Amino acid sequence: MTKYYILFGPPGAGKGTQATAMVERYNLHHISTGALLRKEIAAGTELGLKAKELIENGCLVPDEVVEGMIESEFRTIKGVDGFLLDGFPRTIAQAESLDALLSKTGEQVTATVSIMIPDAMIMERIKGRALKEGRADDASEEIINNRISTYHQQTEPLINYYKNSDKYHEVDGTGNIDQVKESIFAVMDKF
Ligand code: AMP
């Protein structure tokens, strides 16, 4: 049965970094809605143009936009044991829509792996990443703060959503890359 893992956590928790190790070990296809959106922006598509301003202000793009991206990845990617959703869902509406989509084929979310770091560490991690990756939405403290509050208001309620269905597994994201990776593998090895 196809596995559907959600990689959850605040911005800067290290989701992208850990995703690389996870997809390799468990033969998963990595879907990062943020990376897909950045690709649309770089290609100058209509969708990219619409998403650009929202992303560069630290706001979320509309649910339908990312839901469509997820559906199309599920439909087109074959030959993997499962999918690793990174940065999706980010709202309760997106989580409900994911459940509805999977239930059409009698499937469900396998587990949510949450990488947790305190707010104080978010800023520091993102500033480090900005020097390496040059993302426009990593460029100013104001935008980063906006993303942190967007996370608390719109995304954090998902913790209870997945706790309620016993799918929530949290790891401590404050250690180094290898320590966090081992904690994640310890959770994933159970599924
Ligand atoms: P990320 O690379 O996951 O940090 O995403 C970068 C930005 O893309 C976010 O700050 C949002 O503006 C947008 N984005 C990514 N994923 C989603 C999502 N699931 N829902 C809405 N907006 C998203």
Short mmCIF file of all heavy atoms in Angstrom, two decimals, residues 62-100:
data_model
loop_
_atom_site.label_atom_id
_atom_site.label_comp_id
_atom_site.label_asym_id
_atom_site.label_seq_id
_atom_site.Cartn_x
_atom_site.Cartn_y
_atom_site.Cartn_z
N PRO A 62 -3.31 30.50 -1.88
CA PRO A 62 -4.62 29.90 -1.64
C PRO A 62 -4.58 28.36 -1.63
O PRO A 62 -3.81 27.75 -2.37
CB PRO A 62 -5.46 30.40 -2.83
CG PRO A 62 -4.76 31.62 -3.32
CD PRO A 62 -3.31 31.40 -3.04
N ASP A 63 -5.42 27.79 -0.77
CA ASP A 63 -5.46 26.32 -0.62
C ASP A 63 -5.59 25.59 -1.95
O ASP A 63 -4.89 24.62 -2.21
CB ASP A 63 -6.64 25.93 0.29
CG ASP A 63 -6.44 26.35 1.74
OD1 ASP A 63 -5.27 26.45 2.17
OD2 ASP A 63 -7.45 26.57 2.45
N GLU A 64 -6.51 26.07 -2.82
CA GLU A 64 -6.77 25.36 -4.09
C GLU A 64 -5.50 25.22 -4.93
O GLU A 64 -5.33 24.23 -5.64
CB GLU A 64 -7.81 26.07 -4.98
CG GLU A 64 -9.07 26.54 -4.30
CD GLU A 64 -8.83 27.85 -3.56
OE1 GLU A 64 -8.66 28.90 -4.19
OE2 GLU A 64 -8.80 27.80 -2.30
N VAL A 65 -4.63 26.22 -4.85
CA VAL A 65 -3.42 26.20 -5.68
C VAL A 65 -2.54 25.02 -5.29
O VAL A 65 -2.14 24.20 -6.13
CB VAL A 65 -2.64 27.53 -5.53
CG1 VAL A 65 -1.28 27.45 -6.21
CG2 VAL A 65 -3.45 28.69 -6.09
N VAL A 66 -2.27 24.90 -3.99
CA VAL A 66 -1.37 23.82 -3.56
C VAL A 66 -2.08 22.46 -3.62
O VAL A 66 -1.45 21.44 -3.92
CB VAL A 66 -0.77 24.07 -2.16
CG1 VAL A 66 0.38 25.04 -2.25
CG2 VAL A 66 -1.79 24.56 -1.16
N GLU A 67 -3.37 22.44 -3.38
CA GLU A 67 -4.12 21.17 -3.46
C GLU A 67 -4.03 20.59 -4.87
O GLU A 67 -3.83 19.39 -5.05
CB GLU A 67 -5.58 21.38 -3.04
CG GLU A 67 -5.72 21.60 -1.53
CD GLU A 67 -7.06 22.22 -1.11
OE1 GLU A 67 -7.96 22.35 -1.96
OE2 GLU A 67 -7.19 22.57 0.07
N GLY A 68 -4.14 21.48 -5.87
CA GLY A 68 -4.03 21.04 -7.27
C GLY A 68 -2.65 20.46 -7.56
O GLY A 68 -2.51 19.47 -8.28
N MET A 69 -1.63 21.07 -6.98
CA MET A 69 -0.25 20.59 -7.21
C MET A 69 -0.07 19.19 -6.64
O MET A 69 0.54 18.32 -7.26
CB MET A 69 0.75 21.51 -6.50
CG MET A 69 0.87 22.86 -7.14
SD MET A 69 2.00 23.87 -6.15
CE MET A 69 2.57 24.94 -7.45
N ILE A 70 -0.59 18.99 -5.45
CA ILE A 70 -0.46 17.69 -4.77
C ILE A 70 -1.17 16.60 -5.58
O ILE A 70 -0.61 15.54 -5.83
CB ILE A 70 -1.08 17.79 -3.34
CG1 ILE A 70 -0.27 18.74 -2.47
CG2 ILE A 70 -1.24 16.41 -2.71
CD1 ILE A 70 1.05 18.21 -1.99
N GLU A 71 -2.37 16.92 -6.01
CA GLU A 71 -3.16 15.95 -6.76
C GLU A 71 -2.43 15.55 -8.04
O GLU A 71 -2.37 14.37 -8.39
CB GLU A 71 -4.53 16.56 -7.08
CG GLU A 71 -5.54 15.52 -7.48
CD GLU A 71 -6.97 16.08 -7.52
OE1 GLU A 71 -7.18 17.27 -7.14
OE2 GLU A 71 -7.85 15.33 -7.95
N SER A 72 -1.85 16.54 -8.71
CA SER A 72 -1.19 16.23 -9.96
C SER A 72 0.08 15.39 -9.73
O SER A 72 0.39 14.50 -10.50
CB SER A 72 -0.96 17.53 -10.73
OG SER A 72 0.37 17.72 -11.02
N GLU A 73 0.80 15.63 -8.63
CA GLU A 73 1.98 14.80 -8.32
C GLU A 73 1.55 13.35 -8.02
O GLU A 73 2.15 12.41 -8.51
CB GLU A 73 2.73 15.35 -7.10
CG GLU A 73 3.36 16.70 -7.33
CD GLU A 73 4.72 16.63 -8.00
OE1 GLU A 73 5.61 15.93 -7.49
OE2 GLU A 73 4.88 17.29 -9.03
N PHE A 74 0.50 13.18 -7.24
CA PHE A 74 0.02 11.83 -6.91
C PHE A 74 -0.34 11.07 -8.19
O PHE A 74 -0.10 9.89 -8.33
CB PHE A 74 -1.23 11.87 -6.03
CG PHE A 74 -0.98 12.26 -4.59
CD1 PHE A 74 -2.05 12.51 -3.72
CD2 PHE A 74 0.31 12.38 -4.08
CE1 PHE A 74 -1.84 12.86 -2.40
CE2 PHE A 74 0.53 12.74 -2.75
CZ PHE A 74 -0.56 12.99 -1.91
N ARG A 75 -0.94 11.80 -9.13
CA ARG A 75 -1.42 11.18 -10.36
C ARG A 75 -0.28 10.79 -11.29
O ARG A 75 -0.34 9.76 -11.94
CB ARG A 75 -2.35 12.17 -11.07
CG ARG A 75 -3.50 11.50 -11.79
CD ARG A 75 -4.46 12.48 -12.47
NE ARG A 75 -3.89 13.75 -12.83
CZ ARG A 75 -4.31 14.93 -12.36
NH1 ARG A 75 -5.32 14.98 -11.52
NH2 ARG A 75 -3.76 16.05 -12.76
N THR A 76 0.76 11.61 -11.31
CA THR A 76 1.78 11.39 -12.34
C THR A 76 2.99 10.57 -11.88
O THR A 76 3.66 9.97 -12.70
CB THR A 76 2.28 12.73 -12.93
OG1 THR A 76 2.67 13.57 -11.83
CG2 THR A 76 1.21 13.44 -13.71
N ILE A 77 3.26 10.57 -10.58
CA ILE A 77 4.48 9.88 -10.12
C ILE A 77 4.17 8.41 -9.80
O ILE A 77 3.28 8.12 -8.99
CB ILE A 77 5.06 10.57 -8.86
CG1 ILE A 77 5.34 12.05 -9.12
CG2 ILE A 77 6.29 9.83 -8.37
CD1 ILE A 77 6.43 12.36 -10.11
N LYS A 78 4.91 7.53 -10.46
CA LYS A 78 4.71 6.09 -10.25
C LYS A 78 6.02 5.46 -9.79
O LYS A 78 7.08 6.07 -9.91
CB LYS A 78 4.28 5.41 -11.56
CG LYS A 78 3.08 6.04 -12.26
CD LYS A 78 1.77 5.65 -11.59
CE LYS A 78 0.61 6.42 -12.22
NZ LYS A 78 -0.40 6.85 -11.28
N GLY A 79 5.92 4.24 -9.31
CA GLY A 79 7.13 3.47 -9.02
C GLY A 79 7.82 3.80 -7.71
O GLY A 79 9.00 3.50 -7.54
N VAL A 80 7.11 4.44 -6.79
CA VAL A 80 7.70 4.70 -5.47
C VAL A 80 6.86 3.98 -4.41
O VAL A 80 5.73 3.58 -4.68
CB VAL A 80 7.76 6.22 -5.15
CG1 VAL A 80 8.81 6.92 -6.00
CG2 VAL A 80 6.39 6.89 -5.34
N ASP A 81 7.44 3.84 -3.22
CA ASP A 81 6.68 3.20 -2.14
C ASP A 81 5.74 4.17 -1.45
O ASP A 81 4.87 3.77 -0.68
CB ASP A 81 7.64 2.58 -1.11
CG ASP A 81 8.41 1.42 -1.72
OD1 ASP A 81 7.86 0.75 -2.62
OD2 ASP A 81 9.57 1.18 -1.32
N GLY A 82 5.96 5.45 -1.71
CA GLY A 82 5.08 6.43 -1.07
C GLY A 82 5.51 7.85 -1.39
O GLY A 82 6.41 8.08 -2.20
N PHE A 83 4.86 8.78 -0.71
CA PHE A 83 5.11 10.20 -0.92
C PHE A 83 5.49 10.86 0.40
O PHE A 83 4.97 10.48 1.45
CB PHE A 83 3.84 10.88 -1.46
CG PHE A 83 3.49 10.41 -2.85
CD1 PHE A 83 2.67 9.29 -3.03
CD2 PHE A 83 3.99 11.06 -3.96
CE1 PHE A 83 2.35 8.85 -4.32
CE2 PHE A 83 3.67 10.63 -5.24
CZ PHE A 83 2.85 9.52 -5.42
N LEU A 84 6.37 11.84 0.30
CA LEU A 84 6.74 12.62 1.48
C LEU A 84 6.29 14.06 1.23
O LEU A 84 6.84 14.75 0.37
CB LEU A 84 8.25 12.57 1.71
CG LEU A 84 8.74 13.34 2.93
CD1 LEU A 84 8.17 12.75 4.22
CD2 LEU A 84 10.27 13.33 3.00
N LEU A 85 5.27 14.47 1.95
CA LEU A 85 4.73 15.82 1.77
C LEU A 85 5.46 16.78 2.69
O LEU A 85 5.43 16.62 3.91
CB LEU A 85 3.23 15.83 2.08
CG LEU A 85 2.39 14.80 1.32
CD1 LEU A 85 0.92 14.95 1.68
CD2 LEU A 85 2.57 15.00 -0.17
N ASP A 86 6.12 17.75 2.09
CA ASP A 86 6.95 18.70 2.85
C ASP A 86 6.35 20.09 2.66
O ASP A 86 6.36 20.62 1.56
CB ASP A 86 8.38 18.56 2.29
CG ASP A 86 9.32 19.69 2.63
OD1 ASP A 86 8.94 20.59 3.40
OD2 ASP A 86 10.46 19.67 2.10
N GLY A 87 5.81 20.64 3.74
CA GLY A 87 5.20 21.97 3.64
C GLY A 87 3.74 21.92 3.23
O GLY A 87 3.13 22.95 2.94
N PHE A 88 3.17 20.76 3.20
CA PHE A 88 1.74 20.56 2.91
C PHE A 88 1.24 19.40 3.76
O PHE A 88 1.94 18.38 3.80
CB PHE A 88 1.52 20.25 1.42
CG PHE A 88 0.07 20.01 1.07
CD1 PHE A 88 -0.72 21.05 0.61
CD2 PHE A 88 -0.51 18.75 1.23
CE1 PHE A 88 -2.07 20.84 0.31
CE2 PHE A 88 -1.85 18.55 0.95
CZ PHE A 88 -2.63 19.59 0.48
N PRO A 89 0.09 19.45 4.39
CA PRO A 89 -0.81 20.59 4.47
C PRO A 89 -0.31 21.67 5.43
O PRO A 89 0.47 21.39 6.32
CB PRO A 89 -2.11 19.96 4.99
CG PRO A 89 -1.68 18.76 5.78
CD PRO A 89 -0.44 18.26 5.11
N ARG A 90 -0.79 22.89 5.21
CA ARG A 90 -0.40 24.01 6.06
C ARG A 90 -1.61 24.67 6.69
O ARG A 90 -1.45 25.64 7.45
CB ARG A 90 0.34 25.05 5.21
CG ARG A 90 1.84 25.13 5.48
CD ARG A 90 2.33 26.26 4.62
NE ARG A 90 3.64 26.76 4.88
CZ ARG A 90 4.76 26.33 4.31
NH1 ARG A 90 4.76 25.30 3.52
NH2 ARG A 90 5.90 26.94 4.55
N THR A 91 -2.80 24.20 6.35
CA THR A 91 -4.04 24.70 6.97
C THR A 91 -4.95 23.50 7.22
O THR A 91 -4.76 22.45 6.60
CB THR A 91 -4.82 25.67 6.04
OG1 THR A 91 -5.20 24.94 4.84
CG2 THR A 91 -3.99 26.88 5.63
N ILE A 92 -5.92 23.68 8.13
CA ILE A 92 -6.87 22.59 8.38
C ILE A 92 -7.63 22.26 7.08
O ILE A 92 -7.84 21.09 6.77
CB ILE A 92 -7.89 23.00 9.49
CG1 ILE A 92 -7.16 23.22 10.83
CG2 ILE A 92 -9.00 21.98 9.61
CD1 ILE A 92 -6.83 21.98 11.63
N ALA A 93 -7.99 23.27 6.31
CA ALA A 93 -8.71 23.03 5.05
C ALA A 93 -7.88 22.14 4.12
O ALA A 93 -8.42 21.23 3.48
CB ALA A 93 -9.05 24.35 4.37
N GLN A 94 -6.58 22.39 4.06
CA GLN A 94 -5.72 21.54 3.21
C GLN A 94 -5.66 20.11 3.74
O GLN A 94 -5.66 19.15 2.96
CB GLN A 94 -4.30 22.12 3.13
CG GLN A 94 -4.20 23.42 2.34
CD GLN A 94 -2.79 24.02 2.35
OE1 GLN A 94 -1.80 23.34 2.64
NE2 GLN A 94 -2.70 25.30 2.03
N ALA A 95 -5.63 19.96 5.05
CA ALA A 95 -5.57 18.61 5.65
C ALA A 95 -6.87 17.86 5.33
O ALA A 95 -6.84 16.67 4.99
CB ALA A 95 -5.36 18.71 7.15
N GLU A 96 -7.99 18.57 5.41
CA GLU A 96 -9.27 17.92 5.11
C GLU A 96 -9.35 17.54 3.65
O GLU A 96 -9.86 16.48 3.30
CB GLU A 96 -10.43 18.86 5.50
CG GLU A 96 -10.56 18.97 7.01
CD GLU A 96 -11.56 20.02 7.48
OE1 GLU A 96 -11.98 20.88 6.66
OE2 GLU A 96 -11.90 20.01 8.67
N SER A 97 -8.82 18.42 2.80
CA SER A 97 -8.88 18.13 1.39
C SER A 97 -7.96 16.95 1.04
O SER A 97 -8.29 16.12 0.20
CB SER A 97 -8.57 19.41 0.63
OG SER A 97 -7.71 19.21 -0.39
N LEU A 98 -6.82 16.85 1.72
CA LEU A 98 -5.94 15.69 1.51
C LEU A 98 -6.63 14.40 1.94
O LEU A 98 -6.61 13.40 1.22
CB LEU A 98 -4.64 15.89 2.32
CG LEU A 98 -3.65 14.72 2.33
CD1 LEU A 98 -3.11 14.42 0.92
CD2 LEU A 98 -2.48 15.01 3.28
N ASP A 99 -7.28 14.43 3.09
CA ASP A 99 -8.01 13.24 3.56
C ASP A 99 -9.08 12.83 2.55
O ASP A 99 -9.25 11.65 2.25
CB ASP A 99 -8.69 13.51 4.92
CG ASP A 99 -7.67 13.51 6.06
OD1 ASP A 99 -6.53 13.07 5.84
OD2 ASP A 99 -8.03 13.97 7.17
N ALA A 100 -9.80 13.83 2.03
CA ALA A 100 -10.87 13.55 1.07
C ALA A 100 -10.30 12.95 -0.22
O ALA A 100 -10.84 11.98 -0.76
CB ALA A 100 -11.65 14.82 0.76
#
